[in-house]
Amino acid sequence: MTETVEREVGRARTRKEDARLITGQTNWTDNISVSGLLHLAILRSPMAHARIDRVDVSAALERPGVIAAFSGRDVAEEMGSLPCAWPVAEDTVVPDHPPIAVDEVRYAGDPVAVVVARDRYTAADALEAIEVDYTPLPAALDIEAALADDAPLVHADKGTNRSYEYRTGNGDYEAAKARADVVLTRRYHQQRIIPTAMEPRAVVVDPLAASGEFTLYSSTQIPHVLRVLLAVTTGVPENKLRVVAPDVGGGFGSKLQVYGEEVITLVLARRLGRPLKWTESRSEANVATHHGRSQVQDIEIAARRDGTLLGLKVSLLADMGAYLMLLSPGIPVLGASMYPAIYKMGAYDFSCTGVFTNRTPIDAYRGAGRPEATFAIERIMDDLAAELGMDPVELRRRNWIRHEEFPYTTIAGLTYDSGNYEAATDKALALFDYDKLRAEQADRAHRGDTVRLGIGVSTYTEMCGLAPSRWLGEMRYAAGGWEAASVRVLPTGKVEVITGTSPHGQGHVTSWSQIAADVLGVPFEDVEVLHGDTRLATHGLDTYGSRSLVVGGVAVHQAARKVVDKARKVAAHLLEANEADLDFTDGAFVVRGSPEARRTIQEVAFATFASHDLPEGMEPSINAEHVLDPDTFSYPHGTHLCAVEVDTETGAVRIRSYVCVDDVGKVINPLIVEGQLHGGIAQGIAQALYEEAVYDEEGTLVTGTLADYMVPAAPDLPDFVTDRTETPATSNPLGVKGVGEAGTIASTPAVVNAVVDALRPLGVQDIRMPCTPERVWQAVRSSSGDSGGSRDSGDSGKEAAA
């Protein structure tokens, strides 16, 4: 009898990659050094909008150790324009985007000139010697004001600050509104967020002059996409360009990008014939790495007096910043399908206007459009519950899709395959002790306690696995959404998994090892996962949009199954049996009814390597590749509950308890799921209470350092109580749904709902994020003490302004 191997999928394995990362035995891009390496520094505009009259780099060239210096005009013909891959509407205005500004700067931080020197400090110091003459131009800084007829134009040659208009919907919203007993109109603001990954961006380019080849190392989420678009932008042949993403210290969407610094470093390495490195400082990152969110959301909801939802209307103004980056127009549109969330209704109307401003460009930030959507619908559901005098959980129960109704096609056109919102919510309420907290809240209000208790609810779903290529094509996205994986069983029986996904903290090495180990029946320790190098993993579309597991991980599973199928043919031949008579269990092929007749997959691998006795016509390999293009998305969901204490005399907010129950389908590794949720919740809380990119009236970023931009640390966050329910996805053989963005999507409205809930008896209906003590205090002071309510005219109620 052979010992049964414990299944890997579902085990709480500590991560393989952690020991190397924690001890510093790793390879960040900034660690990389090659012979003859030179260093690059970039001079950036201090002005939000100005004409460049003169750039003189001659004094910088005279500095000891300086090798070269260039203005934008010096290298304009070699650098082209940075790409935008998602022009969501046919008439999308896509301005040229030079990696180094030539005639005009359009945001504070826009590159103006570069210096190449023997070390990074010499290069940085030499920037001071560059002379630039500017003529200041009026700046468009406010999203709404930028659309006025007399607004300053970010791109004068385009004649407008309107980048695009996008509309979608289903049903007759105006008819639904006419039938409604209650119509609520609200305006919510999504502030600008700076992603603030632990590792700043860095680029190293190593040219091989003899063959015209280039190896580019970058702290990127998208080595494969970057390779294609750098080739298109710079003219370097794709087959001569190798892109490597070494260990990457976080991204949160900020490294889902083709940045000007990558183009600059590659082009100048080509021009100089020398290896180059650029690494950004933290303050440089705050102005040069793309920002996230930044929307004005006008939301209208129509309902009957019993709480039944009839329709939803969403109108967005989405800040693009000064240029369209890789995915900028598509980020708010990606959320369009998510505003109806888990609720049933008969009509939906969505519109979005993309707006240019003289600020750092906006692009993907963890969740990318879906946190914005969840925030809006969950905030207005709480406001509707208050108007109807109904418990916010009860209002949600009356409208959500029930578990027996799956699969369910929403009013936004998505078909949710599985879910159980009732089970997740019931479990969360029990863990939270909801009724007891409500009783305490009522008691505090009755006593007139200056510290009010607020309870926030957020029930969410999201579309994960940004992948169906047909859908992306319909949305005018330039690329597909497939993913590739290869599985190789080496002659010694060890396994190599090559994945097209490129991790930056998600734990792919561990999870993919678990998936492959289960399918192949080999020890977890015998699986090596390779990634992040376009010469090694030649096919891939990388990591973003919670797609890694539901697309990349499933591709690994399918490739491993192909290996077993090929090995079965060899095993049947060696055992002189029919393939149909072989069982494959715990890594061995066994003739049914004859347990002594067996071959392990490792034995088959060696026999295939030797190829002395293979089936006629079979190639000597059991290795396999699989390219997966899913037919649909996956839909995790959950319920997050937050209790806060708000001091009405100081405005201080303290999170007293936080409970979430998430359903992410089948779980590969519970420890990794917990880590993803904890990190996501922390970022959602950060948006609710702490973080905001603030500009002054001249367009200067005044939160340009970590002394000004408030990223919460561990002492600022509560303990999280997390749990799970499980409804497997029906759209993939692993039953997985994705988890990377769930915490961020759900937590922000839970926290803000709790803060508003605490103050609603004082007449406060909204507080703009982040809900800082000053904003909370101002909201309390400006309230009249009435109970608030709906304002069908569109007034959002008493709101604390910035």
Side-chain angles (χ1 to χ4, degrees):
M1 294 290 292
T2 59
E3 186 176 337
T4 301
V5 177
E6 184 179 352
R7 300 287 295 175
E8 283 294 336
V9 168
R11 288 184 71 180
R13 283 278 191 182
T14 56
R15 302 197 320 177
K16 283 185 174 182
E17 48 270 72
D18 281 354
R20 187 183 74 255
L21 297 172
I22 291 170
T23 59
Q25 300 177 65
T26 186
N27 199 30
W28 313 114
T29 302
D30 190 47
N31 293 349
I32 294 169
S33 183
V34 296
S35 178
L37 183 67
L38 301 176
H39 293 261
L40 182 72
I42 298 174
L43 182 67
R44 300 182 183 276
S45 168
M47 309 182 74
H49 198 194
R51 186 172 65 246
I52 301 173
D53 298 319
R54 182 179 71 98
V55 179
D56 186 351
V57 300
S58 57
L61 286 167
E62 295 174 0
R63 294 280 187 103
V66 171
I67 305 300
F70 304 98
S71 69
R73 190 172 299 280
D74 294 334
V75 291
E77 292 185 3
E78 297 178 61
M79 291 196 176
S81 178
L82 295 179
C84 173
W86 204 344
V88 293
E90 187 174 351
D91 59 350
T92 301
V93 175
V94 184
D96 287 341
H97 186 180
I100 306 176
V102 177
D103 300 311
E104 203 170 298
V105 292
R106 293 183 168 87
Y107 65 98
D110 215 350
V112 176
V114 297
V115 169
V116 178
R118 297 191 185 281
D119 64 78
R120 65 188 300 178
Y121 305 106
T122 299
D125 289 346
L127 295 178
E128 299 174 357
I130 298 175
E131 297 180 4
V132 184
D133 292 338
Y134 298 101
T135 297
L137 297 172
L141 300 173
D142 179 81
I143 308 174
E144 288 186 278
L147 293 176
D149 292 339
D150 59 349
L153 294 177
V154 180
H155 300 274
D157 60 317
K158 301 303 180 185
T160 180
N161 287 330
R162 192 182 307 269
S163 174
Y164 67 88
E165 290 190 0
Y166 179 91
R167 293 192 69 95
T168 189
N170 196 5
D172 187 338
Y173 175 75
E174 291 304 319
K177 180 178 178 180
R179 298 194 310 272
D181 300 317
V182 178
V183 177
L184 251 60
T185 301
R186 292 290 185 263
R187 167 165 285 197
Y188 305 122
H189 294 82
Q190 290 279 329
Q191 78 272 36
R192 269 184 172 251
I193 299 293
I194 301 175
T196 323
M198 184 175 289
E199 179 206 20
R201 293 183 295 121
V203 185
V204 174
V205 177
D206 188 11
L208 185 60
S211 61
E213 296 177 86
F214 299 86
T215 299
L216 182 143
Y217 303 88
S218 180
S219 54
T220 181
Q221 298 175 219
I222 52 168
H224 297 90
V225 174
L226 181 60
R227 181 192 189 207
V228 172
L229 293 177
L230 283 176
V232 170
T233 303
T234 67
V236 174
E238 187 181 351
N239 61 335
K240 297 289 188 180
L241 180 59
R242 174 189 179 195
V243 174
V244 181
D247 292 312
V248 176
F252 315 122
S254 70
K255 295 173 183 175
L256 168 56
Q257 192 57 264
V258 178
Y259 280 106
E261 293 85 359
E262 289 159 328
V263 173
I264 293 166
T265 310
L266 176 58
V267 166
L268 294 185
R270 178 175 62 183
R271 176 182 274 214
L272 299 173
R274 295 282 298 276
L276 285 182
K277 177 188 286 187
W278 170 81
T279 301
E280 70 182 353
S281 65
R282 180 60 66 185
S283 58
E284 192 176 18
N286 280 16
V287 296
T289 295
H290 74 239
H291 294 177
R293 310 291 191 250
S294 196
Q295 294 179 7
V296 176
Q297 303 173 308
D298 287 311
I299 313 296
E300 188 172 272
I301 197 164
R304 294 196 180 104
R305 181 58 61 183
D306 66 1
T308 302
L309 299 184
L310 300 178
L312 180 70
K313 183 176 183 179
V314 176
S315 180
L316 304 183
L317 294 180
D319 188 1
M320 298 290 102
Y323 296 99
L324 300 186
M325 300 291 280
L326 188 64
L327 305 178
S328 302
I331 298 305
V333 170
L334 183 59
S337 300
M338 288 283 95
Y339 281 86
I342 66 174
Y343 306 117
K344 297 178 286 189
M345 61 188 72
Y348 175 50
D349 185 280
F350 175 91
S351 64
C352 178
T353 300
V355 184
F356 291 115
T357 62
N358 290 112
R359 301 193 288 182
T360 298
I362 292 285
D363 211 299
Y365 176 62
R366 195 171 189 170
R370 290 154 293 162
E372 297 92 314
T374 300
F375 180 86
I377 185 62
E378 290 303 289
R379 282 288 295 112
I380 205 165
M381 286 295 283
D382 258 36
D383 283 351
L384 179 60
E387 165 65 14
L388 297 173
M390 189 179 296
D391 183 273
V393 174
E394 178 58 27
L395 177 64
R396 288 164 169 83
R397 286 187 191 280
R398 294 188 183 193
N399 288 284
W400 65 38
I401 305 156
R402 299 194 63 80
H403 71 274
E404 65 269 16
E405 296 178 285
F406 289 97
Y408 185 91
T409 301
T410 73
I411 191 65
L414 296 178
T415 299
Y416 299 169
D417 64 322
S418 67
N420 192 328
Y421 309 140
E422 306 98 295
T425 302
D426 288 345
K427 196 169 192 178
L429 291 172
L431 289 169
F432 192 64
D433 210 345
Y434 184 80
D435 292 339
K436 183 177 179 180
L437 283 169
R438 283 293 184 199
E440 180 186 342
Q441 179 186 45
D443 179 63
R444 285 195 184 198
H446 177 73
R447 290 187 285 106
D449 197 331
T450 58
V451 178
R452 296 297 181 109
L453 181 65
I455 298 168
V457 182
S458 175
T459 51
Y460 79 99
T461 188
E462 61 160 322
M463 51 196 290
C464 277
L466 188 61
S469 294
R470 290 187 302 274
W471 183 88
L472 291 169
E474 293 169 0
M475 295 294 292
R476 304 180 63 85
Y477 182 62
W482 49 266
E483 194 49 81
S486 300
V487 175
R488 303 192 294 230
V489 185
L490 305 179
T492 56
K494 306 302 182 184
V495 176
E496 291 179 336
V497 172
I498 300 93
T499 175
T501 64
S502 187
H504 44 283
Q506 293 86 347
H508 294 182
V509 170
T510 302
S511 298
W512 285 202
S513 294
Q514 291 179 272
I515 292 168
D518 268 4
V519 176
L520 301 174
V522 301
F524 168 80
E525 295 78 11
D526 285 356
V527 182
E528 185 79 11
V529 178
L530 308 173
H531 57 81
D533 183 338
T534 61
R535 183 162 292 174
L536 176 67
T538 56
H539 295 85
L541 283 174
D542 308 315
T543 295
Y544 42 87
S546 294
R547 72 187 299 273
S548 292
L549 177 58
V550 296
V551 190
V554 174
V556 169
H557 178 266
Q558 298 295 70
R561 289 185 61 175
K562 287 183 177 180
V563 168
V564 173
D565 290 342
K566 292 174 75 173
R568 183 184 299 275
K569 296 180 184 297
V570 179
H573 178 76
L574 296 174
L575 293 168
E576 298 181 347
N578 291 324
E579 289 182 47
D581 292 334
L582 294 185
D583 292 326
F584 182 67
T585 305
D586 295 339
F589 296 95
V590 180
V591 178
R592 196 171 300 120
S594 302
E596 71 284 353
R598 65 192 307 271
R599 289 288 190 278
T600 67
I601 197 165
Q602 292 92 336
E603 290 171 328
V604 172
F606 190 84
T608 307
F609 164 73
S611 65
H612 297 159
D613 185 17
L614 295 181
E616 189 68 30
M618 183 174 181
E619 63 180 10
S621 171
I622 60 171
N623 301 333
E625 179 177 352
H626 190 83
V627 180
L628 177 71
D629 195 348
D631 295 326
T632 186
F633 301 100
S634 66
Y635 300 97
H637 68 83
T639 296
H640 287 225
L641 301 170
C642 179
V644 300
E645 291 182 333
V646 181
D647 190 327
T648 58
E649 294 183 336
T650 66
V653 175
R654 183 181 77 87
I655 297 179
R656 178 166 139 179
S657 61
Y658 194 101
V659 168
C660 64
V661 175
D662 295 272
D663 192 323
V664 298
K666 295 289 289 185
V667 170
I668 304 299
N669 187 317
L671 282 180
I672 290 177
V673 168
E674 289 293 297
Q676 288 288 324
L677 285 169
H678 280 216
I681 294 167
Q683 286 186 289
I685 291 173
Q687 181 175 5
L689 298 181
Y690 298 105
E691 296 187 26
E692 183 176 22
V694 179
Y695 287 81
D696 65 17
E697 60 185 13
E698 301 298 325
T700 301
L701 182 68
V702 298
T703 52
T705 73
L706 290 181
D708 313 296
Y709 186 79
M710 298 289 102
V711 178
D716 302 307
L717 299 169
D719 291 332
F720 307 131
V721 176
T722 64
D723 209 331
R724 295 188 303 276
T725 56
E726 185 176 297
T727 52
T730 63
S731 56
N732 64 74
L734 287 175
V736 294
K737 293 185 176 183
V739 69
E741 297 161 311
T744 307
I745 289 170
S747 57
T748 306
V751 174
V752 176
N753 277 343
V755 175
V756 174
D757 183 63
L759 301 178
R760 200 182 294 276
L762 304 179
V764 176
Q765 288 189 7
D766 192 27
I767 301 172
R768 284 182 62 167
M769 295 187 293
C771 299
T772 62
E774 180 182 4
R775 285 182 175 169
V776 172
W777 184 86
Q778 290 284 4
V780 173
R781 291 299 169 270
S782 62
S783 66
S784 62
D786 59 32
S787 61
S790 74
R791 285 161 171 80
D792 296 347
S793 63
D795 182 2
S796 65
K798 297 174 177 61
E799 173 184 302

